[in-house]
Amino acid sequence: MTIVLDGCAVVTMDGDRSEHAVGHVVVEDARIVAVASGRAPRGLDDATYVDGSGCLATPGLVNTHHHLYQWLTRGVAVDHTLFEWLTTLYPVWGCLDEDAVRIGATGALVQLARTGCTTTTDHHYVFPTDGGDLLGAEIEAAREVGLRFLPTRGSMDLGASQGGLPPDHVVEHLDQILTATADAIDRHHDASPDSMLRVGVAPCSPFSVTADLLEQTALLARDKGVRLHTHLAETVDEDDFCREKFGCGPVEYVESLGWLGPDVWLAHGVHLGDSDIATMASSQTCVAHCPSSNARLGAGICRTRDLHAAGVPVGLGVDGAASNEAASLVEELRHSVLFARAVGGPRALTVRDGLELATLGGARVLGWDDQIGSLEPGKLADIALWRIDTAPHAGIPDPVAALVLGTPPPLELLLVQGRAVVRNDAMVDLDEDRLAIDVGAASEALAGKAVGG
Ligand code: ZN
């Protein structure tokens, strides 16, 4: 099957950062076969031509941090710090089951698709004893929505009785975690070039897991050849916790446990000193920057410009919807640029730097940049076609500025692996009205279960 996006502006993110004011992209089955300036040749055999005039084609956006299940607990503890917000929500999350996770994940994944995302990770770390196969439930949701997916088998083993933050009933035992994590990788991880599903390993954070768990999971992930993910350096409270308990800052702490390297990506990285940034650059440890969540929880502003300038790989993340009710990836793109400039001046991050973080940067953070993140012949056909000729954007001469600084544009088309997931700003194969009803009911049921239980 051949699809031709014709007559659109094209931002490729290739090695030369080529852009075409009027260009075309040709897709054959799952992959891109041509990207060039000017109109596409007519009469390609059995091709479907998409009129791209008035549109901008970019690589599909890549989301590097999320907690999909939180879609069912949006709008709770809305004026709280991270630690207060977590202690309010842990008991609710302790009631999760397969149905709740499947419906919540579907809601979150649809919102990602509708905001230009073609690949996302997920960090799922709450596994109640009788919850069922929660990782399987979110994998089923990603398959139904049609996004490329990198779920991580998360974990917590440091309950309140041992000095951790989460209550004891939502944490697991170390052996149980290691067995379940190895099993998740063996069952689901597909390392092939066309893969739609890879699995990572993700203990939750320094204040909810033991040093043992961090060390053991790093060994397991490296043995299996998968990536490592955790939260780090998010808030001042976390920094205080680490200094009090371990006698050093969060980066030094995880470094001592084997948790730095090009196969590791850390969510947030807000509170980093100059030496932390140098350590992360030399080890090529990656960062998932989540500007809206950091602002929503008053955590601070990531030093994106300094990380970028030092050569630390940085991608963007919406973070869980309980701390970012919008959960719109294209809005994170705008916020990353605005926040960097708010603290670093007007040249801290250009609009093209921002788009790079959201596409190729994210692909690199997820270790997938050999296959996705740019529009080049040979890469997988993950493409967002944004309509930038309607009233909110018409007249903006630079299409990248229209996308990054303007209101989120409608999506004319979103292709994942060459398959249309969004068309005319609506899901192609999914009833969004039905989904809204299901999400409302599931959110209510989960809140009720938490109060009742
Ligand atoms: Zn998070």
Side-chain angles (χ1 to χ4, degrees):
M1 196 175 78
T2 302
I3 300 171
V4 182
L5 310 183
D6 194 19
C8 44
V10 181
V11 175
T12 66
M13 287 295 157
D14 67 9
D16 299 325
R17 299 294 182 270
S18 310
E19 296 184 13
H20 309 296
V22 177
H24 62 273
V25 182
V26 183
V27 171
E28 266 178 30
D29 300 322
R31 290 191 182 265
I32 297 167
V33 295
V35 182
S37 201
R39 302 299 297 228
R42 309 309 297 174
L44 290 174
D45 279 351
D46 296 328
T48 302
Y49 282 77
V50 176
D51 178 6
S53 48
C55 295
L56 166 66
T58 68
L61 309 188
V62 177
N63 182 42
T64 61
H65 188 60
H66 211 324
H67 311 286
L68 298 174
Y69 70 88
Q70 291 183 8
W71 193 255
L72 299 186
T73 56
R74 285 167 293 155
V76 177
V78 294
D79 300 315
H80 295 49
T81 68
L82 174 69
F83 280 16
E84 293 164 352
W85 171 88
L86 281 170
T87 45
T88 305
L89 281 161
Y90 282 138
V92 185
W93 298 336
C95 297
L96 286 170
D97 59 22
E98 285 179 21
D99 275 352
V101 166
R102 198 187 62 256
I103 294 167
T106 305
L109 289 161
V110 165
Q111 174 68 349
L112 285 174
R114 301 276 272 98
T115 58
C117 174
T118 49
T119 295
T120 185
T121 187
D122 186 51
H123 186 178
H124 191 102
Y125 54 84
V126 186
F127 292 91
T129 320
D130 52 357
D133 180 9
L134 302 190
L135 208 67
E138 67 171 20
I139 287 171
E140 190 187 325
R143 201 169 284 135
E144 193 197 346
V145 174
L147 295 195
R148 197 178 303 285
F149 197 31
L150 198 165
T152 59
R153 208 301 179 174
S155 48
M156 300 192 289
D157 72 334
L158 187 66
S161 65
Q162 293 175 277
L165 193 69
D168 288 348
H169 72 272
V170 297
V171 306
E172 301 171 279
H173 293 291
L174 176 60
D175 291 346
Q176 184 187 354
I177 290 167
L178 293 173
T179 304
T181 306
D183 178 59
I185 298 165
D186 294 343
R187 280 175 61 197
H188 300 296
H189 182 67
D190 171 8
S192 70
D194 290 354
S195 174
M196 288 288 287
L197 180 64
R198 294 182 179 176
V199 175
V201 175
C204 188
S205 63
F207 51 83
S208 59
V209 309
T210 60
D212 252 6
L213 176 60
L214 284 166
E215 266 181 328
Q216 297 287 329
T217 46
L219 292 173
L220 173 68
R222 288 180 176 132
D223 180 50
K224 299 271 186 192
V226 302
R227 295 180 76 73
L228 287 156
H229 182 45
T230 192
H231 293 97
L232 206 78
E234 180 175 2
T235 63
V236 172
D237 286 345
E238 177 196 330
D239 200 77
D240 291 346
F241 179 95
C242 289
R243 288 182 195 284
E244 196 175 302
K245 214 163 154 56
F246 316 123
C248 61
V251 172
E252 259 182 279
Y253 173 57
V254 297
E255 184 181 23
S256 73
L257 301 169
W259 264 78
L260 294 184
D263 56 350
V264 177
W265 87 104
L266 304 172
H268 304 302
V270 172
H271 297 279
L272 298 173
D274 292 345
S275 65
D276 296 327
I277 292 179
T279 303
M280 291 177 63
S282 63
S283 59
Q284 284 296 286
T285 307
C286 311
V287 169
H289 170 38
C290 307
S292 300
S293 167
N294 296 155
R296 154 77 156 84
L297 291 168
I301 298 179
C302 173
R303 295 174 62 184
T304 325
R305 179 181 67 164
D306 298 334
L307 289 167
H308 194 57
V312 175
V314 179
L316 301 182
V318 298
D319 202 357
S323 64
N324 176 7
E325 280 74 1
S328 153
L329 192 50
V330 71
E331 282 188 28
E332 297 309 307
L333 166 52
R334 180 162 178 261
H335 290 163
S336 69
V337 171
L338 297 182
F339 287 16
R341 292 183 186 186
V343 292
R347 289 182 195 80
L349 214 61
T350 70
V351 292
R352 283 167 174 77
D353 290 337
L355 185 56
E356 183 173 329
L357 300 186
T359 54
L360 192 60
R364 195 164 164 211
V365 166
L366 297 189
W368 227 325
D369 52 320
D370 60 331
Q371 300 293 335
I372 58 170
S374 59
L375 303 183
E376 297 179 75
K379 280 211 166 173
L380 292 167
D382 289 8
I383 307 172
L385 189 66
W386 310 90
R387 181 151 286 290
I388 49 168
D389 61 353
T390 60
H393 301 93
I396 300 178
D398 176 0
V400 179
L403 172 65
V404 177
L405 299 178
T407 197
L411 268 177
E412 182 67 21
L413 186 67
L414 187 79
L415 295 179
V416 182
Q417 196 98 322
R419 174 176 163 251
V421 171
V422 178
R423 188 181 286 125
N424 298 326
D425 217 31
M427 295 299 291
V428 174
D429 290 323
L430 203 140
D431 182 343
E432 294 175 63
D433 293 336
R434 178 74 247 167
L435 177 62
I437 293 166
D438 291 347
V439 165
S443 301
E444 228 175 276
L446 183 62
K449 200 169 157 190
V451 172

